[in-house]
Amino acid sequence: MELKLPYLLKNTNICYYDEQNLYIGNRKIFPFEKSFVACRTSEEIANAIKNMTTQGGGPLQVALTSMCYLAAQMCNNNLEYDFDILNNNMQNIIKSRPTNTTMKRVIEELLLKLHVPMSKSSPEQFRNYVIENVKEIENEENLIYHNMGILGSSLINDGDTILTTCFAEHTLILSLYYAMKEGKKINVLANETRPYFQVARLTAPSMREMGIPVKIISDSMGAHFMRSGEINHYMSASDLVCMDGTVVNKVGTLANAISANYYGIPYTAFSMSPDTTKNNKTEIEMENRDGRELLSVFNHPISEEGIDALYPSFDIIDSELVTNIVTNKGIFSPSKIQENFK
Amino acid sequence: MELKLPYLLKNTNICYYDEQNLYIGNRKIFPFEKSFVACRTSEEIANAIKNMTTQGGGPLQVALTSMCYLAAQMCNNNLEYDFDILNNNMQNIIKSRPTNTTMKRVIEELLLKLHVPMSKSSPEQFRNYVIENVKEIENEENLIYHNMGILGSSLINDGDTILTTCFAEHTLILSLYYAMKEGKKINVLANETRPYFQVARLTAPSMREMGIPVKIISDSMGAHFMRSGEINHYMSASDLVCMDGTVVNKVGTLANAISANYYGIPYTAFSMSPDTTKNNKTEIEMENRDGRELLSVFNHPISEEGIDALYPSFDIIDSELVTNIVTNKGIFSPSKIQENFK
């Protein structure tokens, strides 16, 4: 079983740039079309992220590539390095996804690192230094993905059927990959994830590319298959993990976590980096999206004109519902996050 | 607040017939079109029910009207009354929806009632007797709906927000109507109910017609709004209630019932007639539909060709998750169903 990451997880399919534009892989229309949205400014990049052109780990990768793109633009236009301009542009991008704070932290650390040594550099030096640092972060991330995949695979038993929600990307996909590599037979049930059908459009095709057996169910069916004994483990990504072990993830995760708890099925969340700045759930900034996003599917209305909908994007999953949090430092129960990260 | 039932609940919009055809109101495309599917034979009627042209309480109303239609056909063709032919035709229709056993029981009782007195009647006498009996059943049902609506309204408090799934029809809608008539302020959150979006297409427009404030959420969001304290009561219809208090209803009901239980929120199911022939959950016949029904929405695929889906239509909600069962005889806890109905 040779490791070949699926189309969607290759960095250049998430985002790339040329002299004119930054191009963001359009996850809103994948797998029906493999196309990119071209952006020129940080405002356009931020809007594309807000509009869900990319999601999950995509915004972080877009932000990293944006720094390279913006540095290259400054260089092309022969502009001196100006921290304030770069910082303002990156702040535009960071603000586009308030609940997932990983992008904010990684980018702000990088800006801080660049600030002093770059203050007197030439445009070329600056561009090269940014590219070098981003490459370093990407390499580190790659090691973390594989490490977390190996940790995650240790939680999966031969014969397990795993339920998952939304698009948990590298960490879950690599966990399943390593489990299968060890000879474990596994199946995945994946709940479609309205309103954007991320499971159906992103997760299931990516798993199929990796040879992972996957079937789609609706968002309403997780509990059904837990009751029938057909699900052994619920696994999801997390957009945020607080120091008290609270997990934030795509809306729908909470209902599955409660059902898993009711039937004694473990719930495991993956977290690249628990947020040391968030002590507990009171400090979470929750993203509420426009309810109208629910009200049409592929441009077809689902209801009568004038009836409203609500769309809270994320669930807060209280720590008592979480069995394991897989991090780069190891697998922890929620109560052990604080002592291992703060 | 004048009572005017919404379009979908008027008997003639569920089903009517003329000399040629039986016409079934097409709930698959409501509210985008108000149209009917024409059927000539019991096989065509059964297929229309299987294809979800109608649902919820619709199949029972279609079966009742079908008996009138078939009797009128026999009369038009000047055929003698033949119990076996009528029975065979009605059995075709009954089998089209195996999990909801109300249709089966009501129709079989009616057939039994017709059998002996009709054995020597003229075609006209037979037709008139069927129509008379069906009218009587419809009038009884109407009284039951209102009685259950008044009972249901007693469970609703001023200021409540009610969560509901799928299309709970008369009993829930009349409960909300009577609650509002008593001056209670209420709101409804309704989870869209994939794959057919019954809430968005049927429930929300019907509630709006009745002046009931309703908002649509996705199937994944019930737990979210229970956690946030925005839901006070979960209410649904039931396709079947067993003597041990087990409730069967549209898939997705279980996840909401478990979440309600977790947050201490009552779950109330409405049942026109608990099934005295089903002692417990081991005797339930569950309908599994083709997973492909999930895989396209308004004729647009949601995933890549060749990826499979599963579609169990119904959930079994174990009695420990059920707070109240509203019946025509009163409101009971699940443990009291047996002694009140058997």
Side-chain angles (χ1 to χ4, degrees):
Chain A
M1 194 179 169
E2 198 202 338
L3 176 58
K4 201 170 155 279
L5 280 177
Y7 174 91
L8 281 175
L9 296 184
K10 286 173 194 146
N11 280 349
T12 48
N13 294 330
I14 298 172
C15 188
Y16 72 94
Y17 64 96
D18 62 17
E19 291 201 356
Q20 273 76 49
N21 297 301
L22 179 97
Y23 301 91
I24 303 176
N26 192 348
R27 291 189 178 178
K28 279 172 91 168
I29 51 172
F30 185 90
F32 317 118
E33 277 179 43
K34 289 178 180 169
S35 68
F36 290 79
V37 170
C39 304
R40 277 181 181 272
T41 64
S42 64
E43 288 84 0
E44 288 180 12
I45 296 167
N47 275 336
I49 296 174
K50 274 186 205 152
N51 293 337
M52 298 293 290
T53 304
T54 192
Q55 48 73 257
L60 170 59
Q61 185 60 37
V62 168
L64 289 170
T65 311
S66 295
M67 270 191 75
C68 299
Y69 165 72
L70 293 168
Q73 287 278 346
M74 289 165 99
C75 181
N76 294 346
N77 299 326
N78 214 17
L79 297 172
E80 285 305 298
Y81 164 72
D82 184 324
F83 178 78
D84 290 338
I85 291 178
L86 186 68
N87 186 46
N88 284 345
N89 279 313
M90 292 313 298
Q91 291 300 333
N92 283 338
I93 295 171
I94 286 169
K95 281 182 210 139
S96 63
R97 195 60 51 82
T99 304
N100 184 331
T101 56
T102 307
M103 169 164 66
K104 181 179 162 73
R105 277 175 294 128
V106 172
I107 297 299
E108 286 185 343
E109 273 169 31
L110 181 54
L111 285 166
L112 214 63
K113 188 176 171 193
L114 295 173
H115 191 23
V116 178
M118 281 297 100
S119 57
K120 282 182 181 142
S121 62
S122 75
E124 285 77 14
Q125 280 175 317
F126 173 63
R127 180 198 60 196
N128 294 345
Y129 191 64
V130 170
I131 291 174
E132 195 179 292
N133 272 278
V134 165
K135 188 80 212 151
E136 204 176 289
I137 291 173
E138 288 173 352
N139 288 340
E140 269 168 37
E141 273 178 358
N142 198 41
L143 292 174
I144 294 173
Y145 292 147
H146 282 268
N147 182 39
M148 286 172 66
I150 290 165
L151 288 168
S153 74
S154 74
L155 296 170
I156 298 171
N157 297 314
D158 186 25
D160 274 0
T161 293
I162 315 290
L163 175 69
T164 193
T165 301
C166 207
F167 185 34
E169 302 191 69
H170 299 82
T171 48
L172 175 61
I173 283 190
L174 289 172
S175 296
L176 299 169
Y177 164 80
Y178 283 112
M180 288 174 73
K181 207 178 166 193
E182 288 160 25
K184 296 171 186 170
K185 282 205 193 327
I186 56 168
N187 282 292
V188 175
L189 291 182
N191 61 278
E192 54 188 12
T193 320
R194 281 274 294 140
Y196 293 119
F197 298 105
Q198 282 98 328
V199 154
R201 296 188 307 97
L202 311 178
T203 306
S206 294
M207 287 186 177
R208 190 156 72 151
E209 268 187 82
M210 301 279 293
I212 299 163
V214 59
K215 282 189 174 141
I216 295 168
I217 61 174
S218 76
D219 293 342
S220 55
M221 295 176 192
H224 180 97
F225 289 108
M226 290 186 197
R227 184 186 179 281
S228 67
E230 288 163 88
I231 289 169
N232 307 94
H233 208 133
Y234 178 46
M235 290 183 156
S236 79
S238 61
D239 288 84
L240 177 63
V241 167
C242 299
M243 287 299 103
D244 67 350
T246 305
V247 170
V248 177
N249 196 45
K250 185 74 196 171
V251 69
T253 307
L254 177 60
N256 284 331
I258 293 170
S259 298
N261 178 266
Y262 186 74
Y263 291 114
I265 295 164
Y267 166 45
T268 295
F270 291 85
S271 174
M272 292 274 290
S273 59
D275 188 342
T276 55
T277 71
K278 306 280 187 205
N279 287 309
N280 60 56
K281 57 195 92 172
T282 63
E283 295 165 9
I284 300 166
E285 185 183 346
M286 291 295 276
E287 184 182 351
N288 265 296
R289 297 182 66 88
D290 192 328
R292 283 172 294 186
E293 296 188 49
L294 250 73
L295 292 173
S296 70
V297 179
F298 304 121
N299 296 319
H300 191 297
I302 67 163
S303 187
E304 256 178 14
E305 184 82 20
I307 293 178
D308 286 339
L310 299 173
Y311 180 14
S313 325
F314 296 101
D315 270 335
I316 294 175
I317 302 101
D318 296 294
S319 58
E320 54 268 31
L321 294 167
V322 182
T323 317
N324 309 295
I325 299 175
V326 176
T327 73
N328 188 38
K329 291 190 186 176
I331 303 168
F332 302 109
S333 70
S335 62
K336 300 290 180 195
I337 291 294
Q338 173 100 21
E339 68 192 61
N340 281 284
F341 286 87
K342 199 133 186 182
Chain B
M1 196 181 170
E2 197 202 341
L3 178 57
K4 201 169 155 278
L5 279 178
Y7 175 91
L8 282 175
L9 296 184
K10 285 173 194 146
N11 281 349
T12 48
N13 294 330
I14 297 172
C15 189
Y16 71 95
Y17 65 95
D18 61 18
E19 291 201 358
Q20 273 75 48
N21 297 299
L22 179 96
Y23 302 90
I24 304 176
N26 193 348
R27 290 190 179 178
K28 279 172 91 168
I29 53 171
F30 184 91
F32 316 118
E33 276 178 44
K34 289 178 180 171
S35 67
F36 290 79
V37 170
C39 304
R40 277 180 182 273
T41 63
S42 63
E43 288 84 359
E44 287 180 11
I45 296 167
N47 275 335
I49 296 174
K50 274 185 206 152
N51 293 336
M52 300 292 291
T53 303
T54 192
Q55 48 72 256
L60 170 59
Q61 185 59 38
V62 169
L64 289 169
T65 311
S66 296
M67 272 191 73
C68 301
Y69 166 72
L70 292 168
Q73 287 279 346
M74 291 165 100
C75 182
N76 294 346
N77 299 327
N78 213 18
L79 296 173
E80 286 305 300
Y81 166 70
D82 184 324
F83 178 79
D84 290 339
I85 291 177
L86 186 68
N87 186 46
N88 285 344
N89 279 315
M90 292 313 298
Q91 291 300 333
N92 283 339
I93 295 170
I94 286 169
K95 281 183 210 139
S96 63
R97 196 58 51 83
T99 304
N100 184 332
T101 56
T102 308
M103 170 165 63
K104 181 180 162 75
R105 279 174 294 128
V106 172
I107 297 298
E108 285 184 346
E109 274 169 29
L110 181 55
L111 285 167
L112 214 64
K113 188 175 171 193
L114 296 175
H115 192 23
V116 178
M118 283 296 101
S119 57
K120 281 180 183 144
S121 62
S122 73
E124 285 76 15
Q125 281 176 316
F126 173 63
R127 182 199 56 195
N128 295 344
Y129 192 63
V130 170
I131 291 173
E132 196 179 291
N133 273 278
V134 165
K135 188 78 214 149
E136 204 176 289
I137 292 173
E138 288 173 353
N139 288 340
E140 269 169 35
E141 272 177 359
N142 197 41
L143 291 175
I144 294 174
Y145 292 148
H146 282 269
N147 183 38
M148 286 172 67
I150 290 165
L151 288 169
S153 74
S154 73
L155 296 170
I156 298 172
N157 298 313
D158 186 26
D160 273 1
T161 294
I162 314 290
L163 175 69
T164 192
T165 301
C166 207
F167 185 35
E169 301 189 69
H170 299 83
T171 48
L172 175 61
I173 282 189
L174 288 173
S175 297
L176 299 169
Y177 164 80
Y178 282 112
M180 286 174 73
K181 208 177 165 195
E182 289 161 25
K184 296 172 186 170
K185 281 205 193 331
I186 54 168
N187 283 291
V188 175
L189 290 182
N191 61 278
E192 54 186 13
T193 320
R194 280 277 292 141
Y196 293 119
F197 297 104
Q198 282 99 327
V199 155
R201 295 189 306 98
L202 311 178
T203 307
S206 295
M207 287 186 177
R208 191 158 70 150
E209 267 187 86
M210 301 278 292
I212 299 164
V214 58
K215 283 190 173 141
I216 297 168
I217 61 174
S218 77
D219 293 342
S220 56
M221 294 176 192
H224 180 97
F225 289 108
M226 291 186 197
R227 183 186 180 281
S228 67
E230 287 164 87
I231 289 169
N232 306 95
H233 208 134
Y234 178 46
M235 291 184 155
S236 79
S238 61
D239 288 83
L240 178 63
V241 167
C242 300
M243 287 298 103
D244 68 350
T246 304
V247 171
V248 176
N249 196 46
K250 185 75 195 169
V251 69
T253 307
L254 177 60
N256 284 333
I258 293 171
S259 298
N261 178 266
Y262 186 75
Y263 290 114
I265 295 163
Y267 166 46
T268 294
F270 292 85
S271 174
M272 292 275 289
S273 59
D275 188 342
T276 55
T277 71
K278 307 279 187 206
N279 288 310
N280 59 56
K281 56 195 95 171
T282 64
E283 295 165 10
I284 300 166
E285 183 181 349
M286 290 295 276
E287 183 182 351
N288 263 296
R289 297 183 66 89
D290 191 327
R292 282 173 294 187
E293 296 187 52
L294 250 73
L295 293 174
S296 69
V297 179
F298 304 120
N299 297 319
H300 191 297
I302 67 163
S303 187
E304 255 179 14
E305 184 81 20
I307 292 177
D308 286 339
L310 299 173
Y311 179 15
S313 323
F314 295 100
D315 271 334
I316 294 176
I317 301 100
D318 297 294
S319 58
E320 55 268 32
L321 294 168
V322 182
T323 315
N324 309 297
I325 300 175
V326 176
T327 73
N328 189 37
K329 292 191 186 174
I331 303 168
F332 302 110
S333 70
S335 62
K336 301 289 180 196
I337 290 295
Q338 172 100 23
E339 69 192 62
N340 282 285
F341 286 88
K342 199 133 188 183

